């Protein structure tokens, strides 16, 4: 039987409990999941590629079929290289929908063999994003319920000498 490989692309700057919720769901559905750091996004990341990978890997220990990757360029090209037939995206609120709809249809047009699938996280994560967590951390707010322990520590270190 053909193994189904799924990519879960994003900035992951840093990984949050919302991302982990999606990873857990995907891990139980697909044979292999590759959490894929997009390196050419227009966002200017706080963490380097290695730092982001380290934080993701720390959280992946319990999922044997999940690994981490990174790419520059077109996501569908990376999918071909990895023999992935699925792209997973998380849908939080209606505000995600328009951009995701446009991306999914564009990717399908240029690469019909790759299917984008959307997953909804537990409702307690629907308002959560990495930007919010970074802003809270910058002002020494409590981020315990938004990110795993290791990520919390890394964020604290990043902002230690600021303010
Ligand atoms: P962000 O900077 O908004 O957290 P990313 O580029 O890292 O976003 O997101 C990667 C993928 O994970 C996207 O599909 C995004 O919709 C999804 N995602 C991000 N945060 C959450 C969350 N809290 N719940 C579900 N999906 C999420």
């Amino acid at each position: 039987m053909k193994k189904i490989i799924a990519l879960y692309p994003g900035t992951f700057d840093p990984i949050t409990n919302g991302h982990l919720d999606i990873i857990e769901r995907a891990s139980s559905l697909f044979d292999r999941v590759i959490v894929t750091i997009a390196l050419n996004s227009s966002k200017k990341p706080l963490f380097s590629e290695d730092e982001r990978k380290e934080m993701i890997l720390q959280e992946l220990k319990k999922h044997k079929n999940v690994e981490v990757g990174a790419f520059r360029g077109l996501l569908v090209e990376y999918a071909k290289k990895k023999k992935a037939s699925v792209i997973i995206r998380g849908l939080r609120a209606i505000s995600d929908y328009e951009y995701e709809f446009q991306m999914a249809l564009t990717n399908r047009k240029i690469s019909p063999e790759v299917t984008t699938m959307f997953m909804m996280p537990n409702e307690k994560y629907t308002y959560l994003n990495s930007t919010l967590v970074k802003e809270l951390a910058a002002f020494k707010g409590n981020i315990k319920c938004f990110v795993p322990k290791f990520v919390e520590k890394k964020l604290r270190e990043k902002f230690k000498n600021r303010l």
Side-chain angles (χ1 to χ4, degrees):
M1 268 247 294
K2 189 181 164 234
K3 295 230 183 290
I4 301 185
I5 302 170
L7 298 185
Y8 178 37
T11 317
F12 303 106
D13 185 45
I15 190 163
T16 68
N17 290 342
H19 294 127
L20 287 171
D21 177 294
I22 299 291
I23 291 170
E24 224 149 84
R25 288 170 204 280
S27 152
S28 66
L29 284 173
F30 302 106
D31 296 297
R32 262 176 77 201
V33 177
I34 308 174
V35 179
T36 307
I37 302 173
L39 294 170
N40 50 349
S41 108
S42 52
K43 301 174 189 169
K44 181 150 177 16
L46 173 69
F47 291 101
S48 70
E49 176 187 349
D50 285 345
E51 287 173 317
R52 282 180 276 165
K53 270 194 181 151
E54 186 195 13
M55 288 184 276
I56 297 170
L57 281 171
Q58 189 71 23
E59 296 310 315
L60 292 189
K61 286 178 189 158
K62 51 182 175 286
H63 302 296
K64 295 277 169 281
N65 62 339
V66 186
E67 59 203 84
V68 63
F71 79 102
R72 271 180 216 285
L74 285 180
L75 179 61
V76 289
E77 290 303 324
Y78 186 75
K80 259 181 226 160
K81 193 171 133 196
K82 292 289 178 184
K83 299 192 173 16
S85 54
V86 175
I87 292 171
I88 299 156
R89 297 290 290 171
L91 265 192
R92 286 162 289 192
I94 295 288
S95 50
D96 279 340
Y97 180 79
E98 200 171 336
Y99 174 72
E100 293 297 339
F101 178 79
Q102 195 179 26
M103 282 294 298
L105 292 185
T106 306
N107 282 335
R108 190 162 74 187
K109 186 83 188 164
I110 58 178
S111 192
E113 63 283 5
V114 182
T115 300
T116 302
M117 291 183 69
F118 296 99
M119 288 186 192
M120 282 178 218
N122 185 307
E123 63 274 11
K124 67 184 177 205
Y125 300 130
T126 48
Y127 61 92
L128 182 59
N129 67 30
S130 301
T131 307
L132 188 90
V133 171
K134 282 180 282 191
E135 273 173 22
L136 267 175
F139 295 106
K140 315 277 189 270
N142 188 348
I143 51 172
K144 271 192 176 28
C145 49
F146 302 131
V147 290
K149 267 206 160 49
F150 185 70
V151 175
E152 185 192 355
K153 183 170 154 269
K154 289 278 169 192
L155 277 163
R156 296 267 171 251
E157 278 167 18
K158 256 306 169 215
F159 291 112
K160 198 168 55 197
N161 300 320
R162 302 202 194 174
L163 268 183

